[in-house]
Amino acid sequence: MAKKGLRFGIFVYLLPALTLYTLFMAYPLIMSLGMSLYEWKGYGPTTFVGLANFKKLLFLEPFSTRFFNALTNNIKFFAYTTLFQNVVALFLAVLLTKKLRGTEFYRTVYFMPVTLSVLIVGFIWTLILNPTWGVLNKGLEFIGLVSWAKPWLGDPNLALPVIAFVNSWQFIGLPIMMFVAGIRAIPEELFEAARIDGCNEWQVFRNVTLPGLVPVIGLVMILTLVGNFSSFEIIYSMAGTLAGPNYATDVLGTLFYRTSFSSISGAPPSMGMGAAIAVFMFTIICAGVLSWFYIDSKINNS
């Protein structure tokens, strides 16, 4: 009886969270999977079209061009974020575990942008990057680096990496926190043994810190993948729904928004095609998560 009572108590405590998750996460996800097989403009009757929405995205112009452009940009966005955010976060986390002066202060400073609204961050950085009177270009001109001043959000070759940098600047505190926790979880005896054997700091990092952080690195990469392939707000706040210039910053999230609620090259809104894009996003994220689970199981069993 005591075990049954404990199980019932656990269920009661989990019920509110489970209900909210089902209503606002699981149910919309299942509905979007089903909606991808229908044609619907957001009003009026729905028409079953099978896999026609997927065929349009993959093979029919202009939908296929926009879809593969957004997919390519999403992959680049993930690569830029990995470089700007995760690699730098790992470097800073190593420094923050060296018991240097002011580490608590810097840890707080690095995490503070995470608490800000994405839209506010995007708007502020848009002002900073303004090519005419933005602080960045004015500062470069002031120190004599006029040639470095660029139309940061107006150049198709710069816009996406710049937005990825802003996104990384805001959320770098999360991987720093996770890497710091992971480094502190590594037994101190391993570091001491490596130093007694004559290893320098780079050798200690390569042979002790990095192998010990493999599970954390995998988790950080999965969170980065999920965040990047579902991103919308930062692109919207800095480049608008058209993800300019000339769709250079278009990702699957902004393409989903335009397809569902606006248009693609004059085509009417289509909730069915928007749901098909959401299915692709869900599939990519699931593939990444399942791949890491497989790799992690192989590492743990080896």
Side-chain angles (χ1 to χ4, degrees):
M1 292 294 292
K3 289 184 178 180
K4 290 183 178 180
L6 179 61
R7 291 175 181 174
F8 180 75
I10 294 174
F11 175 76
V12 170
Y13 280 111
L14 290 178
L15 185 60
L18 183 62
T19 302
L20 291 175
Y21 180 83
T22 302
L23 289 176
F24 296 103
M25 295 293 292
Y27 177 73
L29 176 61
I30 295 172
M31 289 297 295
S32 66
L33 293 175
M35 183 56 62
S36 65
L37 304 177
Y38 289 82
E39 178 57 44
W40 186 45
K41 297 180 180 179
Y43 57 89
T46 59
T47 304
F48 180 78
V49 294
L51 299 177
N53 290 324
F54 296 95
K55 291 179 180 178
K56 287 181 181 179
L57 286 175
L58 295 175
F59 306 111
L60 183 65
E61 294 291 345
F63 308 106
S64 61
T65 298
R66 293 286 172 259
F67 173 74
F68 285 110
N69 174 68
L71 179 60
T72 301
N73 287 339
N74 240 143
I75 295 172
K76 291 179 180 179
F77 194 62
F78 173 72
Y80 290 139
T81 303
T82 299
L83 179 63
F84 298 152
Q85 176 181 290
N86 298 342
V87 174
V88 175
L90 179 57
F91 172 75
L92 294 175
V94 172
L95 293 180
L96 291 174
T97 55
K98 294 297 183 183
K99 298 179 181 180
L100 301 175
R101 189 174 183 179
T103 54
E104 295 295 331
F105 169 76
Y106 288 115
R107 197 176 304 162
T108 303
V109 169
Y110 291 140
F111 192 80
M112 284 178 62
V114 178
T115 64
L116 301 176
S117 165
V118 178
L119 295 177
I120 292 175
V121 169
F123 177 72
I124 292 175
W125 273 95
T126 301
L127 299 179
I128 293 173
L129 297 169
N130 186 284
T132 305
W133 41 263
V135 173
L136 180 57
N137 279 358
K138 287 296 182 181
L140 292 173
E141 293 173 6
F142 179 77
I143 61 177
L145 299 175
V146 180
S147 61
W148 287 28
K150 306 289 184 181
W152 302 102
L153 297 176
D155 187 336
N157 297 318
L158 292 175
L160 187 63
V162 166
I163 294 178
F165 170 81
V166 173
N167 184 67
S168 302
W169 172 86
Q170 180 178 11
F171 292 108
I172 196 172
L174 289 174
I176 287 177
M177 178 181 65
M178 297 174 69
F179 287 140
V180 167
I183 293 172
R184 288 185 170 178
I186 301 173
E188 185 64 30
E189 294 81 5
L190 298 178
F191 294 104
E192 293 176 358
R195 294 189 179 99
I196 290 173
D197 289 340
C199 294
N200 56 34
E201 288 301 317
W202 166 248
Q203 291 171 328
V204 170
F205 172 78
R206 186 183 62 187
N207 298 315
V208 179
T209 306
L210 200 57
L213 284 178
V214 168
V216 180
I217 292 173
L219 181 58
V220 169
M221 293 299 291
I222 288 299
L223 293 176
T224 304
L225 178 73
V226 173
N228 276 230
F229 277 89
S230 59
S231 59
F232 170 77
E233 297 95 333
I234 190 65
I235 305 292
Y236 173 78
S237 62
M238 298 187 70
T241 56
L242 292 179
N246 194 26
Y247 302 105
T249 58
D250 199 17
V251 294
L252 293 176
T254 51
L255 180 64
F256 163 79
Y257 179 86
R258 286 201 315 279
T259 304
S260 301
F261 306 108
S262 182
S263 65
I264 296 181
S265 301
S270 174
M271 296 293 291
M273 287 190 62
I277 296 172
V279 170
F280 278 113
M281 296 166 65
F282 175 74
T283 302
I284 293 170
I285 292 172
C286 276
V289 173
L290 293 176
S291 297
W292 167 245
F293 283 156
Y294 176 78
I295 295 171
D296 186 53
S297 65
K298 289 294 185 181
I299 293 174
N300 292 331
N301 294 329
S302 60

